[in-house]
Amino acid sequence: MTQFGKRFVHDQSLEWEVVGEGLKRKIMSYDNHVMMVKVAFEKGAIGTLHQHYHTQISYVESGEFEITIDGEVQLLKQGDTYYIPPNIIHGAVAKEAGVLIDVFNPFREDFV
């Protein structure tokens, strides 16, 4: 089932997609301009350093994360957020199990 243009999305109806060791995601909804993705991390899981041309804003729904953006590292907890401009190297390490809500502009073609 595609989430393209879904106006209402019930989290319970979506299956997790395993995307790495200790990492899984759900594509909540998207169109050609924006995408929201829910990413669950087990404690110690690593979102490896990478970059992409998309603008990204992320919200820490739960847990505690060491976030690296362009070489700067900060510890973020539930309720915190961060912004990543296009083409900036970034990554995450889960210091505690938790969930990030990622929003991308434009949508991540490589996720679908």
Side-chain angles (χ1 to χ4, degrees):
M1 168 188 274
T2 180
Q3 293 306 103
F4 188 88
K6 285 285 202 170
R7 292 185 181 178
F8 299 99
V9 178
H10 298 272
D11 182 55
Q12 304 86 337
S13 70
L14 300 177
E15 302 227 359
W16 288 103
E17 173 189 3
V18 175
V19 293
E21 189 166 336
L23 292 168
K24 57 187 179 180
R25 74 176 170 220
K26 293 182 180 185
I27 297 172
M28 304 305 289
S29 190
Y30 70 99
D31 66 14
N32 291 325
H33 306 286
V34 67
M35 173 182 269
M36 178 180 283
V37 179
K38 184 175 188 176
V39 186
F41 287 70
E42 293 177 8
K43 182 177 182 174
I46 299 171
T48 56
L49 290 173
H50 65 287
Q51 64 184 19
H52 44 75
Y53 72 88
H54 310 83
T55 297
Q56 177 178 341
I57 295 178
S58 297
Y59 172 76
V60 181
E61 178 181 285
S62 62
E64 185 173 290
F65 294 86
E66 185 177 89
I67 303 295
T68 302
I69 302 172
D70 200 22
E72 181 179 354
V73 180
Q74 292 214 8
L75 189 64
L76 300 180
K77 299 179 181 182
Q78 182 178 13
D80 295 337
T81 189
Y82 55 95
Y83 163 76
I84 305 166
N87 302 309
I88 298 295
I89 295 175
H90 60 282
V93 176
K95 301 312 250 177
E96 296 177 6
V99 173
L100 297 177
I101 305 298
D102 296 336
V103 177
F104 300 98
N105 175 11
F107 83 102
R108 293 286 303 262
E109 307 91 338
D110 55 325
F111 284 10
V112 296

